[in-house]
Amino acid sequence: MDSREILEQALRLKPEERFLVVEGLLKSLDEPDKELDAIWAGEADKRLRAYREGRLKGIPMEDIFEEET
C-alpha cells in the first residue's frame, strides 16, 4: 500500500478517527532532542540559581499577563 492509498483510506475515517491518526503522525515527528533538552535544563538551572542568589529579579505574573490599553 502506498502513501496515496493510505491517505484515501484515512480520509474515509470519521473526524475523531482522523484526528487520532494525525495526532499519532505528528507525535512520531516530534522526536526529543537530548542535546537541546540538556542545554535548556542547564539554562533553567542557571537562571534559578541567579534568582535565588539575588542576581536576577522576578517579574510578577500579573505584570506579564497585564493587557495593554
Side-chain angles (χ1 to χ4, degrees), residues 55-69:
R55 296 182 288 116
L56 181 66
K57 289 189 174 191
I59 301 171
M61 184 177 67
E62 293 80 17
D63 292 351
I64 294 171
F65 292 105
E66 184 178 282
E67 288 188 32
E68 293 184 26
T69 54

Side-chain angles (χ1 to χ4, degrees), residues 5 18-19 22 26 30-31 35 39 48 50 58 63:
E5 291 171 318
R18 289 197 311 258
F19 176 79
V22 168
L26 289 174
D30 190 21
E31 296 287 325
E35 185 178 335
I39 291 169
L48 179 58
D63 292 351

Side-chain angles (χ1 to χ4, degrees), residues 12-67:
R12 288 190 213 117
L13 296 171
K14 295 177 184 176
E16 304 84 26
E17 294 169 325
R18 289 197 311 258
F19 176 79
L20 290 174
V21 170
V22 168
E23 185 178 42
L25 289 170
L26 289 174
K27 281 184 179 179
S28 76
L29 294 173
D30 190 21
E31 296 287 325
D33 183 335
K34 291 181 182 183
E35 185 178 335
L36 187 56
D37 289 346
I39 291 169
W40 276 113
E43 180 65 23
D45 287 340
K46 185 174 84 173
R47 291 180 188 195
L48 179 58
R49 192 172 29 251
Y51 174 77
R52 287 181 174 164
E53 293 172 357
R55 296 182 288 116
L56 181 66
K57 289 189 174 191
I59 301 171
M61 184 177 67
E62 293 80 17
D63 292 351
I64 294 171
F65 292 105
E66 184 178 282
E67 288 188 32

